[in-house]
PDB file of all heavy atoms in Angstrom:
ATOM      1  N   ILE A   1       0.836  -1.202   0.000  1.00  0.00           N
ATOM      2  CA  ILE A   1       0.000   0.000   0.000  1.00  0.00           C
ATOM      3  C   ILE A   1       0.873   1.256   0.000  1.00  0.00           C
ATOM      4  O   ILE A   1       0.587   2.219  -0.722  1.00  0.00           O
ATOM      5  CB  ILE A   1      -0.960  -0.003   1.205  1.00  0.00           C
ATOM      6  CG1 ILE A   1      -1.927  -1.186   1.096  1.00  0.00           C
ATOM      7  CG2 ILE A   1      -1.735   1.310   1.291  1.00  0.00           C
ATOM      8  CD1 ILE A   1      -2.741  -1.442   2.343  1.00  0.00           C
ATOM      9  N   ALA A   2       1.946   1.258   0.789  1.00  0.00           N
ATOM     10  CA  ALA A   2       2.844   2.418   0.839  1.00  0.00           C
ATOM     11  C   ALA A   2       3.427   2.714  -0.538  1.00  0.00           C
ATOM     12  O   ALA A   2       3.566   3.884  -0.932  1.00  0.00           O
ATOM     13  CB  ALA A   2       3.958   2.170   1.856  1.00  0.00           C
ATOM     14  N   GLU A   3       3.745   1.676  -1.295  1.00  0.00           N
ATOM     15  CA  GLU A   3       4.273   1.867  -2.647  1.00  0.00           C
ATOM     16  C   GLU A   3       3.223   2.487  -3.560  1.00  0.00           C
ATOM     17  O   GLU A   3       3.522   3.370  -4.359  1.00  0.00           O
ATOM     18  CB  GLU A   3       4.728   0.512  -3.210  1.00  0.00           C
ATOM     19  CG  GLU A   3       5.364   0.619  -4.575  1.00  0.00           C
ATOM     20  CD  GLU A   3       5.814  -0.722  -5.119  1.00  0.00           C
ATOM     21  OE1 GLU A   3       6.091  -1.639  -4.311  1.00  0.00           O
ATOM     22  OE2 GLU A   3       5.881  -0.857  -6.362  1.00  0.00           O
ATOM     23  N   ARG A   4       1.974   2.046  -3.410  1.00  0.00           N
ATOM     24  CA  ARG A   4       0.885   2.616  -4.224  1.00  0.00           C
ATOM     25  C   ARG A   4       0.666   4.091  -3.888  1.00  0.00           C
ATOM     26  O   ARG A   4       0.393   4.902  -4.761  1.00  0.00           O
ATOM     27  CB  ARG A   4      -0.414   1.830  -4.024  1.00  0.00           C
ATOM     28  CG  ARG A   4      -0.367   0.387  -4.489  1.00  0.00           C
ATOM     29  CD  ARG A   4       0.032   0.298  -5.969  1.00  0.00           C
ATOM     30  NE  ARG A   4       0.157  -1.053  -6.461  1.00  0.00           N
ATOM     31  CZ  ARG A   4       1.246  -1.802  -6.391  1.00  0.00           C
ATOM     32  NH1 ARG A   4       2.317  -1.358  -5.771  1.00  0.00           N
ATOM     33  NH2 ARG A   4       1.291  -2.994  -6.937  1.00  0.00           N
ATOM     34  N   ILE A   5       0.777   4.424  -2.613  1.00  0.00           N
ATOM     35  CA  ILE A   5       0.616   5.825  -2.210  1.00  0.00           C
ATOM     36  C   ILE A   5       1.749   6.668  -2.788  1.00  0.00           C
ATOM     37  O   ILE A   5       1.522   7.762  -3.305  1.00  0.00           O
ATOM     38  CB  ILE A   5       0.572   5.949  -0.668  1.00  0.00           C
ATOM     39  CG1 ILE A   5      -0.705   5.305  -0.129  1.00  0.00           C
ATOM     40  CG2 ILE A   5       0.656   7.416  -0.239  1.00  0.00           C
ATOM     41  CD1 ILE A   5      -0.746   5.195   1.381  1.00  0.00           C
ATOM     42  N   ALA A   6       2.958   6.148  -2.710  1.00  0.00           N
ATOM     43  CA  ALA A   6       4.128   6.874  -3.242  1.00  0.00           C
ATOM     44  C   ALA A   6       3.990   7.130  -4.736  1.00  0.00           C
ATOM     45  O   ALA A   6       4.470   8.151  -5.244  1.00  0.00           O
ATOM     46  CB  ALA A   6       5.398   6.079  -2.951  1.00  0.00           C
ATOM     47  N   ASN A   7       3.331   6.226  -5.450  1.00  0.00           N
ATOM     48  CA  ASN A   7       3.165   6.374  -6.901  1.00  0.00           C
ATOM     49  C   ASN A   7       1.854   7.057  -7.288  1.00  0.00           C
ATOM     50  O   ASN A   7       1.539   7.152  -8.470  1.00  0.00           O
ATOM     51  CB  ASN A   7       3.234   4.997  -7.577  1.00  0.00           C
ATOM     52  CG  ASN A   7       4.604   4.376  -7.447  1.00  0.00           C
ATOM     53  OD1 ASN A   7       5.610   5.073  -7.417  1.00  0.00           O
ATOM     54  ND2 ASN A   7       4.648   3.051  -7.350  1.00  0.00           N
ATOM     55  N   SER A   8       1.111   7.527  -6.297  1.00  0.00           N
ATOM     56  CA  SER A   8      -0.172   8.181  -6.588  1.00  0.00           C
ATOM     57  C   SER A   8       0.048   9.650  -6.940  1.00  0.00           C
ATOM     58  O   SER A   8       1.154  10.167  -6.872  1.00  0.00           O
ATOM     59  CB  SER A   8      -1.115   8.069  -5.390  1.00  0.00           C
ATOM     60  OG  SER A   8      -0.676   8.890  -4.336  1.00  0.00           O
ATOM     61  N   ASN A   9      -1.042  10.313  -7.296  1.00  0.00           N
ATOM     62  CA  ASN A   9      -0.975  11.718  -7.700  1.00  0.00           C
ATOM     63  C   ASN A   9      -1.380  12.676  -6.583  1.00  0.00           C
ATOM     64  O   ASN A   9      -1.839  13.785  -6.849  1.00  0.00           O
ATOM     65  CB  ASN A   9      -1.879  11.955  -8.920  1.00  0.00           C
ATOM     66  CG  ASN A   9      -1.400  11.210 -10.144  1.00  0.00           C
ATOM     67  OD1 ASN A   9      -0.199  11.112 -10.375  1.00  0.00           O
ATOM     68  ND2 ASN A   9      -2.330  10.663 -10.914  1.00  0.00           N
ATOM     69  N   LYS A  10      -1.196  12.253  -5.324  1.00  0.00           N
ATOM     70  CA  LYS A  10      -1.572  13.122  -4.205  1.00  0.00           C
ATOM     71  C   LYS A  10      -0.662  14.350  -4.163  1.00  0.00           C
ATOM     72  O   LYS A  10       0.486  14.314  -4.583  1.00  0.00           O
ATOM     73  CB  LYS A  10      -1.480  12.363  -2.881  1.00  0.00           C
ATOM     74  CG  LYS A  10      -2.531  11.280  -2.708  1.00  0.00           C
ATOM     75  CD  LYS A  10      -3.958  11.774  -2.790  1.00  0.00           C
ATOM     76  CE  LYS A  10      -4.403  12.487  -1.543  1.00  0.00           C
ATOM     77  NZ  LYS A  10      -5.847  12.764  -1.506  1.00  0.00           N
ATOM     78  N   LYS A  11      -1.211  15.437  -3.618  1.00  0.00           N
ATOM     79  CA  LYS A  11      -0.478  16.710  -3.575  1.00  0.00           C
ATOM     80  C   LYS A  11       0.633  16.673  -2.532  1.00  0.00           C
ATOM     81  O   LYS A  11       0.712  15.783  -1.697  1.00  0.00           O
ATOM     82  CB  LYS A  11      -1.458  17.833  -3.261  1.00  0.00           C
ATOM     83  CG  LYS A  11      -2.550  17.977  -4.296  1.00  0.00           C
ATOM     84  CD  LYS A  11      -3.566  18.994  -3.854  1.00  0.00           C
ATOM     85  CE  LYS A  11      -4.736  19.029  -4.838  1.00  0.00           C
ATOM     86  NZ  LYS A  11      -5.828  19.884  -4.381  1.00  0.00           N
ATOM     87  N   ASN A  12       1.471  17.707  -2.567  1.00  0.00           N
ATOM     88  CA  ASN A  12       2.618  17.794  -1.651  1.00  0.00           C
ATOM     89  C   ASN A  12       2.212  17.885  -0.185  1.00  0.00           C
ATOM     90  O   ASN A  12       2.969  17.482   0.685  1.00  0.00           O
ATOM     91  CB  ASN A  12       3.491  18.997  -2.003  1.00  0.00           C
ATOM     92  CG  ASN A  12       4.177  18.813  -3.359  1.00  0.00           C
ATOM     93  OD1 ASN A  12       4.395  17.678  -3.774  1.00  0.00           O
ATOM     94  ND2 ASN A  12       4.492  19.898  -4.026  1.00  0.00           N
ATOM     95  N   ASN A  13       1.023  18.439   0.104  1.00  0.00           N
ATOM     96  CA  ASN A  13       0.608  18.591   1.507  1.00  0.00           C
ATOM     97  C   ASN A  13      -0.055  17.329   2.057  1.00  0.00           C
ATOM     98  O   ASN A  13      -0.561  17.313   3.165  1.00  0.00           O
ATOM     99  CB  ASN A  13      -0.327  19.793   1.684  1.00  0.00           C
ATOM    100  CG  ASN A  13      -1.564  19.704   0.800  1.00  0.00           C
ATOM    101  OD1 ASN A  13      -1.639  18.868  -0.089  1.00  0.00           O
ATOM    102  ND2 ASN A  13      -2.520  20.581   1.046  1.00  0.00           N
ATOM    103  N   PHE A  14      -0.011  16.240   1.279  1.00  0.00           N
ATOM    104  CA  PHE A  14      -0.551  14.953   1.728  1.00  0.00           C
ATOM    105  C   PHE A  14       0.504  14.217   2.550  1.00  0.00           C
ATOM    106  O   PHE A  14       1.683  14.210   2.212  1.00  0.00           O
ATOM    107  CB  PHE A  14      -0.947  14.104   0.516  1.00  0.00           C
ATOM    108  CG  PHE A  14      -1.419  12.717   0.867  1.00  0.00           C
ATOM    109  CD1 PHE A  14      -2.709  12.499   1.320  1.00  0.00           C
ATOM    110  CD2 PHE A  14      -0.568  11.621   0.752  1.00  0.00           C
ATOM    111  CE1 PHE A  14      -3.155  11.223   1.638  1.00  0.00           C
ATOM    112  CE2 PHE A  14      -1.002  10.342   1.065  1.00  0.00           C
ATOM    113  CZ  PHE A  14      -2.296  10.146   1.510  1.00  0.00           C
ATOM    114  N   SER A  15       0.065  13.603   3.670  1.00  0.00           N
ATOM    115  CA  SER A  15       0.987  12.812   4.490  1.00  0.00           C
ATOM    116  C   SER A  15       0.379  11.450   4.781  1.00  0.00           C
ATOM    117  O   SER A  15      -0.839  11.276   4.759  1.00  0.00           O
ATOM    118  CB  SER A  15       1.303  13.531   5.802  1.00  0.00           C
ATOM    119  OG  SER A  15       0.148  13.617   6.610  1.00  0.00           O
ATOM    120  N   SER A  16       1.235  10.481   5.049  1.00  0.00           N
ATOM    121  CA  SER A  16       0.781   9.134   5.336  1.00  0.00           C
ATOM    122  C   SER A  16       1.747   8.467   6.302  1.00  0.00           C
ATOM    123  O   SER A  16       2.956   8.699   6.240  1.00  0.00           O
ATOM    124  CB  SER A  16       0.698   8.327   4.037  1.00  0.00           C
ATOM    125  OG  SER A  16       0.209   7.035   4.296  1.00  0.00           O
ATOM    126  N   ASN A  17       1.186   7.671   7.217  1.00  0.00           N
ATOM    127  CA  ASN A  17       1.997   6.935   8.174  1.00  0.00           C
ATOM    128  C   ASN A  17       1.585   5.475   8.178  1.00  0.00           C
ATOM    129  O   ASN A  17       0.401   5.151   8.124  1.00  0.00           O
ATOM    130  CB  ASN A  17       1.825   7.504   9.591  1.00  0.00           C
ATOM    131  CG  ASN A  17       2.312   8.928   9.688  1.00  0.00           C
ATOM    132  OD1 ASN A  17       3.498   9.189   9.587  1.00  0.00           O
ATOM    133  ND2 ASN A  17       1.399   9.858   9.866  1.00  0.00           N
ATOM    134  N   THR A  18       2.575   4.606   8.262  1.00  0.00           N
ATOM    135  CA  THR A  18       2.353   3.169   8.303  1.00  0.00           C
ATOM    136  C   THR A  18       2.630   2.664   9.709  1.00  0.00           C
ATOM    137  O   THR A  18       3.657   2.996  10.294  1.00  0.00           O
ATOM    138  CB  THR A  18       3.318   2.460   7.325  1.00  0.00           C
ATOM    139  OG1 THR A  18       3.136   2.999   6.024  1.00  0.00           O
ATOM    140  CG2 THR A  18       3.058   0.973   7.307  1.00  0.00           C
ATOM    141  N   PHE A  19       1.699   1.880  10.253  1.00  0.00           N
ATOM    142  CA  PHE A  19       1.894   1.275  11.571  1.00  0.00           C
ATOM    143  C   PHE A  19       1.741  -0.234  11.435  1.00  0.00           C
ATOM    144  O   PHE A  19       0.791  -0.704  10.821  1.00  0.00           O
ATOM    145  CB  PHE A  19       0.854   1.785  12.577  1.00  0.00           C
ATOM    146  CG  PHE A  19       0.843   3.276  12.742  1.00  0.00           C
ATOM    147  CD1 PHE A  19      -0.196   4.041  12.226  1.00  0.00           C
ATOM    148  CD2 PHE A  19       1.867   3.929  13.411  1.00  0.00           C
ATOM    149  CE1 PHE A  19      -0.222   5.422  12.383  1.00  0.00           C
ATOM    150  CE2 PHE A  19       1.856   5.312  13.576  1.00  0.00           C
ATOM    151  CZ  PHE A  19       0.807   6.054  13.066  1.00  0.00           C
ATOM    152  N   ILE A  20       2.675  -0.975  12.001  1.00  0.00           N
ATOM    153  CA  ILE A  20       2.555  -2.428  12.004  1.00  0.00           C
ATOM    154  C   ILE A  20       2.288  -2.899  13.421  1.00  0.00           C
ATOM    155  O   ILE A  20       2.910  -2.422  14.374  1.00  0.00           O
ATOM    156  CB  ILE A  20       3.809  -3.124  11.420  1.00  0.00           C
ATOM    157  CG1 ILE A  20       3.565  -4.629  11.337  1.00  0.00           C
ATOM    158  CG2 ILE A  20       5.059  -2.804  12.219  1.00  0.00           C
ATOM    159  CD1 ILE A  20       4.562  -5.367  10.472  1.00  0.00           C
ATOM    160  N   GLY A  21       1.301  -3.780  13.573  1.00  0.00           N
ATOM    161  CA  GLY A  21       0.984  -4.292  14.897  1.00  0.00           C
ATOM    162  C   GLY A  21      -0.480  -4.657  15.026  1.00  0.00           C
ATOM    163  O   GLY A  21      -1.265  -4.513  14.092  1.00  0.00           O
ATOM    164  N   ASP A  22      -0.824  -5.122  16.200  1.00  0.00           N
ATOM    165  CA  ASP A  22      -2.194  -5.502  16.540  1.00  0.00           C
ATOM    166  C   ASP A  22      -2.918  -4.262  17.057  1.00  0.00           C
ATOM    167  O   ASP A  22      -2.545  -3.700  18.079  1.00  0.00           O
ATOM    168  CB  ASP A  22      -2.154  -6.584  17.622  1.00  0.00           C
ATOM    169  CG  ASP A  22      -3.529  -7.070  18.033  1.00  0.00           C
ATOM    170  OD1 ASP A  22      -4.534  -6.449  17.632  1.00  0.00           O
ATOM    171  OD2 ASP A  22      -3.600  -8.063  18.771  1.00  0.00           O
ATOM    172  N   VAL A  23      -3.925  -3.827  16.349  1.00  0.00           N
ATOM    173  CA  VAL A  23      -4.621  -2.595  16.721  1.00  0.00           C
ATOM    174  C   VAL A  23      -5.238  -2.683  18.108  1.00  0.00           C
ATOM    175  O   VAL A  23      -5.403  -1.664  18.786  1.00  0.00           O
ATOM    176  CB  VAL A  23      -5.686  -2.220  15.661  1.00  0.00           C
ATOM    177  CG1 VAL A  23      -6.851  -3.197  15.704  1.00  0.00           C
ATOM    178  CG2 VAL A  23      -6.161  -0.790  15.845  1.00  0.00           C
ATOM    179  N   SER A  24      -5.553  -3.889  18.561  1.00  0.00           N
ATOM    180  CA  SER A  24      -6.162  -4.048  19.878  1.00  0.00           C
ATOM    181  C   SER A  24      -5.267  -3.569  21.004  1.00  0.00           C
ATOM    182  O   SER A  24      -5.744  -3.176  22.061  1.00  0.00           O
ATOM    183  CB  SER A  24      -6.519  -5.516  20.122  1.00  0.00           C
ATOM    184  OG  SER A  24      -7.463  -5.955  19.184  1.00  0.00           O
ATOM    185  N   SER A  25      -3.947  -3.584  20.778  1.00  0.00           N
ATOM    186  CA  SER A  25      -3.025  -3.166  21.824  1.00  0.00           C
ATOM    187  C   SER A  25      -2.108  -2.038  21.367  1.00  0.00           C
ATOM    188  O   SER A  25      -1.155  -1.676  22.050  1.00  0.00           O
ATOM    189  CB  SER A  25      -2.164  -4.362  22.280  1.00  0.00           C
ATOM    190  OG  SER A  25      -1.491  -4.928  21.175  1.00  0.00           O
TER     191      SER A  25
END
């Protein structure tokens, strides 16, 4: 997904963060 975001046409003021883990904790 991060690669798809990097190759998308989103503007410069767009930000994204990736978190790995169990959302429950």
Side-chain angles (χ1 to χ4, degrees):
I1 297 169
E3 183 180 334
R4 296 304 177 273
I5 292 172
N7 294 328
S8 71
N9 295 322
K10 291 302 284 190
K11 299 174 186 173
N12 293 334
N13 57 349
F14 176 80
S15 66
S16 182
N17 297 292
T18 304
F19 303 108
I20 185 165
D22 181 350
V23 70
S24 298
S25 56

